[in-house]
Amino acid sequence: MVRVELFGFGPHLMVDGYDANPDKLRDAELVRRVLDELPEEMEMTKVLSPFVYSYGPEGEDGVTGVVIIAESHIAIHTFPRKRFLSIDIFSCKAFDMARVLKKLTAVFEIGRYETYMINRGKEFPKDPELARKIVLGEREYLEARVS
């Protein structure tokens, strides 16, 4: 497994998938299953069962789903008529992005995709001692301002 060492709070992977299988994109149970299984496969902790909502039939006729994980969240939004889906995976912990992309492209039969990855909270201290010093410094600053 390849994991990139990240700094700050954690990675936010965004995927725009094109030319996906519209039948798979309409399948709310498939979206629910992916959201249910993906956290464990990513070595994350699922906090709640996935929430999945199907919309249509007059509208786009797609699916939106989210699962809350202890490390943050995973969301999937599908647009079958446009053969498009967007996926957000935000975590305070590094994960194998290539493995996740491989699974998602296979499950939804994505023809091509674009990815965007940003490190969220670049100044977020992972070091508890550094975080303590920052909090104490802020308290001293506020006390000086108030007095």
Side-chain angles (χ1 to χ4, degrees), residues 31-64:
V31 172
R32 190 206 62 74
R33 192 168 61 248
V34 168
L35 290 170
D36 193 52
E37 295 170 357
L38 199 55
E40 184 176 337
E41 292 174 17
M42 295 171 58
E43 300 176 12
M44 305 287 179
T45 307
K46 186 172 42 178
V47 174
L48 297 170
S49 296
F51 176 81
V52 176
Y53 176 77
S54 295
Y55 50 93
E58 265 90 84
E60 177 60 36
D61 193 28
V63 178
T64 286

Side-chain angles (χ1 to χ4, degrees), residues 101-118:
L101 282 168
K102 185 176 180 179
K103 176 187 176 84
L104 293 170
T105 55
V107 167
F108 294 106
E109 299 176 13
I110 298 171
R112 62 185 177 84
Y113 59 85
E114 296 174 336
T115 60
Y116 309 90
M117 203 291 293
I118 59 174

Side-chain angles (χ1 to χ4, degrees), residues 5 7 15 19 27 34 39 41 49-50 62-63 78 88-89 96 98 101-102 110 115 126 129 135 138-140 147:
E5 186 58 35
F7 56 89
V15 181
D19 303 322
D27 189 341
V34 168
E41 292 174 17
S49 296
V63 178
T78 73
D88 284 350
I89 302 174
D96 189 337
L101 282 168
K102 185 176 180 179
I110 298 171
T115 60
K126 293 247 183 200
E129 181 56 27
V135 169
E138 288 176 350
R139 285 184 187 160
E140 288 176 17
S147 11

Side-chain angles (χ1 to χ4, degrees), residues 131-147:
R132 187 183 74 74
K133 288 178 183 178
I134 289 170
V135 169
L136 289 175
E138 288 176 350
R139 285 184 187 160
E140 288 176 17
Y141 172 76
L142 288 174
E143 287 172 4
R145 298 265 330 218
V146 172
S147 11

